[in-house]
């Protein structure tokens, strides 16, 4: 019995000794942290970059409803220089464990800095690989100020709404650090990234008494249309990349088309025709696309897509025969043309946004052979054919009167 007690006594003594020295371990109380929800990066005026941060600060009661968000910024040649400047001006330490978004202004994204920033800062900051990326048409500081509303202080809810819209409408993609880096390194497809902008027709809360400018450029409004109320900052469409360099932007409709081609489309609406002949369809994913591709003498491929649809408005009383013989072929041809148009638009930017390279890579038995083929150089020669098949579930076909 004594032999058993001796090791136990030794273990207890060791624990007590460790407890005595526990004061040497660095401790930061929860209210001493400023949780960085968003990082934004613009070009700087004095130094290379201006970094801005949306910071969630715990309230006095440490309840979620008591938390508040603030926006701070500083210039630096690296983000670490900016952090040092910010931290001497706020009474808390910046913590990046809750960061949901990295924002890059269009000017910065076009330089290819995103890849370098991720490589230099990812591990040191402790940002999660699931952190999502956005490109901002204007500057990130204004965009961040447009997110933080006095009437809606919960920035995390605002950011979650982007995920909700991605699943329900398909007007914007969802790209995180892990996916972006994988596509850049593997060179089997190119990224599209959520596109953010500022609606200058909405008054700024930072400027007391500010009003909408009646002579404002229509392109500086939400999708070219003025609106009343809401946050200044919004998101719609995508930035298109060639490797790590941004090459252009696409609107929400074209973004839906890319997501269909990639098999990432969930739900969306298609408006076809004009006036009394206009039809609005609710489209749903009918499964992953089928892609066949040959590589010699030049790359050539065929993408086939199946979509489920529901007639939301228009010719609701259309008969089964008219749907099958007239409307369905017209709509399928229209969607094939759209897939081809957006593909050629992306190809003109040398962006494999449809990720056809993933299917081409399956023809190679080793990474070395794939790299020697030089897909991105051959991609400019790629010719694609598109096939779309729309189908309506049996219950709805019966309701069409057929």
């Amino acid at each position: 019995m004594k032999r058993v007690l001796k090791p136990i006594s030794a273990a207890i003594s060791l624990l007590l000794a460790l407890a005595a020295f526990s004061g040497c371990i660095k401790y930061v109380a929860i209210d001493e942290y400023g949780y960085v929800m968003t990082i934004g990066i613009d070009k700087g005026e004095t130094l290379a970059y201006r970094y801005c941060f949306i910071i969630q600060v715990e309230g006095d009661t440490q309840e979620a409803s008591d938390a508040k968000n603030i926006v701070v910024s500083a210039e630096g040649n690296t983000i670490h220089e900016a952090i040092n400047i910010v931290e001497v001006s706020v009474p808390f330490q910046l913590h990046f464990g809750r960061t949901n978004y990295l924002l890059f202004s269009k000017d910065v994204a076009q330089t290819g800095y995103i890849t370098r920033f991720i490589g230099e800062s990812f591990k040191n900051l402790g940002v999660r690989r699931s952190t999502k990326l956005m490109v901002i048409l204007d500057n990130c500081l204004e965009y961040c100020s447009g997110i933080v509303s006095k009437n809606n202080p919960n920035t995390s809810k605002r950011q979650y709404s982007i995920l909700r819209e991605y699943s329900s409408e398909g007007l914007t993609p969802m790209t995180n650090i892990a996916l972006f880096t994988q596509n850049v390194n593997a060179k089997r497809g190119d990224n599209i990234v959520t596109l953010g902008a500022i609606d200058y027709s909405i008054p700024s809360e930072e400027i007391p008494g500010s009003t909408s400018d009646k002579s404002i450029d229509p392109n500086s409004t939400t999708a070219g249309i003025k609106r009343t109320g809401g946050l200044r900052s919004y998101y719609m469409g995508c930035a298109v990349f060639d490797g790590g360099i941004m090459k252009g932007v696409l609107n929400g409709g074209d973004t839906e088309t890319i997501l269909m081609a990639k098999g990432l489309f969930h739900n969306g609406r298609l408006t076809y025709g004009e006036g009394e002949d206009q039809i609005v369809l609710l489209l749903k994913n009918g499964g992953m696309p089928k892609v066949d591709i040959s590589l010699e003498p030049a790359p050539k491929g065929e993408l086939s897509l199946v979509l489920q649809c529901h007639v939301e408005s228009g010719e609701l009383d259309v008969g089964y025969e008219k749907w099958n013989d007239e409307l369905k072929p017209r709509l399928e041809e229209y969607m094939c043309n759209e897939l081809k148009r957006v593909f050629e638009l992306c190809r003109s930017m040398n962006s494999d946004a449809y990720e056809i390279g993933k299917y081409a890579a399956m023809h190679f038995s080793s990474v070395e052979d794939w790299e020697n083929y030089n897909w991105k150089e051959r991609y400019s020669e790629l010719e694609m054919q598109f096939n779309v098949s729309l189908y309506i579930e049996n219950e709805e076909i019966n309701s069409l009167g057929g």
Side-chain angles (χ1 to χ4, degrees):
M1 186 70 177
K2 291 182 180 179
R3 291 181 180 178
V4 176
L5 288 176
K6 284 184 179 180
I8 295 176
S9 300
I12 293 174
S13 300
L14 178 61
L15 290 173
L16 291 174
L18 289 173
F21 287 99
S22 61
C24 298
I25 300 175
K26 185 178 180 180
Y27 172 78
V28 181
I30 188 169
D31 59 350
E32 292 181 32
Y33 276 134
Y35 294 95
V36 178
M37 308 299 291
T38 300
I39 304 170
I41 304 170
D42 298 310
K43 283 192 173 181
E45 295 181 3
T46 304
L47 301 177
Y49 301 101
R50 179 181 65 195
Y51 300 88
C52 60
F53 309 93
I54 297 180
I55 303 174
Q56 185 179 71
V57 183
E58 301 292 340
D60 296 333
T61 63
Q62 294 187 5
E63 294 181 1
S65 60
D66 196 32
K68 62 179 180 179
N69 295 317
I70 62 173
V71 179
V72 296
S73 70
E75 290 195 10
N77 291 317
T78 67
I79 190 170
H80 302 290
E81 292 180 8
I83 290 171
N84 290 338
I85 294 171
V86 167
E87 285 192 330
V88 298
S89 63
V90 292
F92 45 75
Q93 178 180 332
L94 299 189
H95 190 286
F96 294 88
R98 298 184 187 178
T99 302
N100 292 318
Y101 273 89
L102 293 180
L103 313 182
F104 298 86
S105 70
K106 180 183 72 172
D107 292 342
V108 171
Q110 288 173 333
T111 67
Y113 179 63
I114 296 180
T115 304
R116 183 155 60 89
F117 175 82
I118 292 173
E120 292 177 350
S121 309
F122 171 68
K123 292 182 179 179
N124 294 332
L125 293 179
V127 175
R128 298 168 295 182
R129 292 179 62 82
S130 60
T131 300
K132 291 166 281 294
L133 305 178
M134 285 185 70
V135 170
I136 308 302
L137 284 177
D138 306 270
N139 70 73
C140 296
L141 181 56
E142 278 199 69
Y143 187 88
C144 288
S145 299
I147 291 177
V148 178
S149 167
K150 296 174 183 175
N151 297 323
N152 184 18
N154 197 325
T155 302
S156 59
K157 284 184 179 180
R158 163 67 174 171
Q159 293 174 335
Y160 174 75
S161 69
I162 299 179
L163 178 61
R164 185 184 64 237
E165 294 297 325
Y166 163 69
S167 299
S168 63
E169 295 296 338
L171 297 175
T172 185
M174 191 62 59
T175 305
N176 59 29
I177 287 176
L179 180 60
F180 187 91
T181 305
Q182 176 183 320
N183 281 343
V184 170
N185 293 339
K187 300 178 182 178
R188 292 179 295 185
D190 287 310
N191 292 294
I192 57 173
V193 173
T194 306
L195 187 66
I198 300 167
D199 188 333
Y200 288 97
S201 68
I202 302 297
S204 170
E205 294 184 351
E206 300 298 319
I207 307 174
S210 66
T211 57
S212 301
D213 186 350
K214 295 181 180 180
S215 63
I216 198 162
D217 183 351
N219 293 324
S220 296
T221 60
T222 302
I225 300 173
K226 288 187 178 182
R227 60 183 168 89
T228 301
L231 300 176
R232 296 188 96 202
S233 300
Y234 70 97
Y235 49 91
M236 182 181 291
C238 69
V240 178
F241 282 76
D242 171 16
I245 300 174
M246 175 188 163
K247 286 298 187 71
V249 300
L250 296 178
N251 61 27
D254 290 350
T255 301
E256 277 186 318
T257 301
I258 294 180
L259 293 178
M260 289 179 189
K262 289 158 65 82
L264 298 176
F265 176 78
H266 297 280
N267 297 291
R269 285 169 177 79
L270 169 65
T271 301
Y272 178 77
E274 296 179 354
E276 295 181 357
D277 296 327
Q278 187 178 87
I279 294 178
V280 178
L281 295 178
L282 172 63
L283 300 176
K284 295 183 179 180
N285 188 353
M288 289 295 292
K290 179 183 178 183
V291 177
D292 295 315
I293 186 168
S294 59
L295 301 179
E296 300 296 345
K300 185 177 182 180
E302 181 177 356
L303 186 149
S304 300
L305 184 65
V306 177
L307 293 171
Q308 178 186 339
C309 64
H310 165 74
V311 181
E312 284 201 324
S313 65
E315 299 190 45
L316 295 176
D317 58 345
V318 62
Y320 177 73
E321 290 185 2
K322 184 176 182 180
W323 167 258
N324 258 358
D325 299 339
E326 182 180 338
L327 292 178
K328 183 174 181 285
R330 274 172 31 203
L331 288 165
E332 289 175 344
E333 181 183 9
Y334 170 78
M335 295 194 66
C336 287
N337 291 336
E338 283 297 285
L339 282 163
K340 185 175 181 63
R341 178 185 64 82
V342 176
F343 166 75
E344 291 177 347
L345 184 59
C346 294
R347 188 180 58 183
S348 70
M349 295 184 273
N350 200 40
S351 175
D352 183 12
Y354 281 24
E355 296 187 343
I356 306 299
K358 288 184 177 180
Y359 302 94
M362 295 178 183
H363 289 256
F364 297 87
S365 57
S366 69
V367 174
E368 183 179 2
D369 289 342
W370 166 248
E371 291 179 347
N372 290 336
Y373 179 74
N374 198 346
W375 167 248
K376 286 309 292 286
E377 184 176 318
R378 304 291 297 274
Y379 173 68
S380 61
E381 308 170 7
L382 175 64
E383 293 296 329
M384 289 292 296
Q385 178 181 333
F386 298 95
N387 304 306
V388 176
S389 178
L390 298 176
Y391 75 92
I392 295 180
E393 292 183 346
N394 291 336
E395 295 82 4
E396 189 168 350
I397 291 175
N398 294 333
S399 70
L400 294 179

